[in-house]
Amino acid sequence: KQYPVCSGAHAAVELTERLLRENGLSGDDVRNVICEVPPVVAMSLVYDRPARWQEAQFSLPFAVGTMLARRGLDIGSLTDETLADPKVRAAMGKVEMRRVDSLHTDEAPEGARVTLITADGNEIQEYLGQPTGMPGNPLTDQRLHEKFLRCAEAGAIDGTEARGLL
């Protein structure tokens, strides 16, 4: 997995990051984010306004809001401090999840269509069926190695030891 949250959130998070980057936008440039998702995603991401970081792992507003507010979502994001950050909370308020049954396909059960609505009213939309890190679109070995080392560091494993384990 590319992000340390429920895999159902990955397509929307990846698209949000991509649309921000490709359009030269910051989270402050975005008024709303509409995430249209298939049923399994809507059923999995049950916390609209999580109270603890464990709930945040199953929250689309948290995952996308953190990307808006911090331009990243990694293992270090899963803290109660991140969840309490006023900038993250404000960004979470911009995110709306809509269940769209017709988006479900057997090849892409956890896809998403994301629409960014900018502060000046422009709409930018894209669909992603298989986010990076899923079986049909695996992480490169380089990115997998980087993730392993970040996770090892978060687990207090010395860099030399982590590289040896890798």
Side-chain angles (χ1 to χ4, degrees), residues 96-161:
E96 177 185 351
M97 180 171 63
R98 295 181 184 169
R99 177 181 165 155
V100 177
D101 291 359
S102 63
L103 285 179
H104 173 82
T105 68
D106 290 340
E107 298 80 33
E110 294 183 323
R113 180 170 44 231
V114 170
T115 304
L116 297 184
I117 302 171
T118 64
D120 59 6
N122 289 326
E123 293 188 13
I124 306 163
Q125 184 180 86
E126 193 170 328
Y127 171 80
L128 177 61
Q130 293 191 27
T132 304
M134 302 307 281
N137 186 14
L139 289 168
T140 64
D141 285 347
Q142 178 64 32
R143 290 185 65 195
L144 192 58
H145 294 172
E146 291 166 1
K147 179 183 176 181
F148 175 84
L149 294 173
R150 283 193 313 273
C151 289
E153 180 183 351
I157 296 175
D158 171 77
T160 301
E161 182 181 357

Side-chain angles (χ1 to χ4, degrees), residues 48-92:
D48 191 44
R49 296 293 175 259
R52 300 183 331 250
W53 71 263
Q54 294 91 339
E55 294 174 354
Q57 290 180 288
F58 298 92
S59 170
L60 192 61
F62 172 81
V64 172
T66 300
M67 185 58 69
L68 288 173
R70 297 186 170 194
R71 292 301 284 249
L73 177 63
D74 61 22
I75 195 164
S77 303
L78 289 176
T79 66
D80 288 328
E81 292 77 22
T82 300
L83 190 54
D85 180 341
K87 190 169 180 175
V88 171
R89 298 303 288 189
M92 287 171 57

